[in-house]
Amino acid sequence: MEAAQLNAYLDTLTYRERVEFVTSVVKKAGVKRQTFFNWKCMACRIPERGKQIIEHESGEHIFSEKIPAEKEVAP
């Protein structure tokens, strides 16, 4: 779910904005670019500190703790 939310935000950016955003997050989080892309591709969870940095750099609330309700299946 976190990766989907991150990808939804990244899709709103132009190529150049995306490159600058990723660079900024990587520098502030103190992680390698590969780690950011692992977050993006769901290879590993995004730590709370990483989420805070991503949201700060975006200026938006990206990550929702709300889990979508499951659809009931009629018997």
Side-chain angles (χ1 to χ4, degrees), residues 8-74:
Y9 171 73
L10 292 173
D11 287 344
T12 68
L13 303 177
T14 64
Y15 174 79
R16 186 73 188 146
E17 290 170 334
R18 191 175 307 164
V19 169
E20 291 171 1
F21 177 78
V22 171
T23 300
S24 180
V25 169
V26 165
K27 285 181 182 177
K28 290 196 166 124
V31 297
K32 295 179 181 179
R33 290 182 83 78
Q34 183 61 47
T35 300
F36 182 91
F37 291 109
N38 285 342
W39 296 343
K40 182 180 179 301
C41 298
M42 292 189 293
C44 62
R45 297 220 36 194
I46 305 171
E48 285 304 313
R49 177 79 176 124
K51 290 180 193 178
Q52 291 171 355
I53 292 168
I54 289 168
E55 288 186 337
H56 181 266
E57 290 304 302
S58 71
E60 296 180 23
H61 181 71
I62 296 173
F63 302 103
S64 171
E65 299 299 323
K66 186 177 179 182
I67 297 173
E70 292 184 24
K71 295 179 181 177
E72 292 185 25
V73 177

